[in-house]
Amino acid sequence: MNTADTVVMAVVAVCGGCVMALAGLAGLRQTRRIERTGVKAWALVKRHPGARGDDASSLRPLLQFSTETGQVVEIDSPVPATRRWPLHNGDALLITYDPADPGTVVVHPRERRALDQAFIAAGTLVLLLAFVLVGFAAV
């Protein structure tokens, strides 16, 4: 592989690593902002109307909650049901919603910080790989 090819690969890796790291940072920032300035509420888990029989696990359930102003909001759950934390029809979940945009919620204790942190770590690793590629190309 010649030097030009290595530099092109490094530039692509830098772009990809930056996108991954920034996506993770943006997710963490939004989660923290909502937790800091948001309003806590209890949400009712409802079965998604498009879910039928065995296909019920493929669609995320709906979350229905009432805002401070009395507006009833129904959104798709931002987190999937897992074996550890299943989301059954009729369950109640503690959420924090953004008063400016009630469709933006954080579900407790499922904030998914680990996923955002994994994006940051993977992006940083790709950036380091890109710098190693540039170092090899310079030699």
Side-chain angles (χ1 to χ4, degrees):
M1 185 182 291
N2 63 28
T3 304
D5 292 341
T6 305
V7 170
V8 169
M9 284 181 47
V11 168
V12 170
V14 164
C15 292
C18 284
V19 168
M20 290 170 65
L22 288 174
L25 286 170
L28 278 178
R29 183 174 180 233
Q30 181 174 357
T31 299
R32 288 181 182 144
R33 180 186 60 80
I34 292 172
E35 286 179 336
R36 189 174 1 104
T37 62
V39 178
K40 292 192 183 305
W42 286 97
L44 176 68
V45 177
K46 295 174 65 178
R47 183 182 169 119
H48 197 282
R52 293 185 196 91
D54 296 337
D55 191 36
S57 63
S58 66
L59 294 174
R60 291 184 181 189
L62 299 176
L63 298 180
Q64 182 181 19
F65 61 96
S66 181
T67 64
E68 287 181 317
T69 61
Q71 174 189 10
V72 176
V73 179
E74 190 170 275
I75 60 168
D76 288 330
S77 174
V79 295
T82 62
R83 197 175 296 166
R84 184 175 178 189
W85 286 313
L87 297 174
H88 298 294
N89 192 28
D91 285 351
L93 295 176
L94 180 62
I95 63 165
T96 302
Y97 68 90
D98 184 0
D101 179 19
T104 305
V105 301
V106 172
V107 180
H108 302 283
R110 305 175 189 201
E111 293 87 7
R112 299 181 76 175
R113 282 192 182 99
L115 182 62
D116 290 332
Q117 291 167 345
F119 264 92
I120 294 168
T124 304
L125 187 64
V126 170
L127 283 171
L128 290 174
L129 175 67
F131 292 130
V132 168
L133 282 174
V134 169
F136 281 129
V139 173

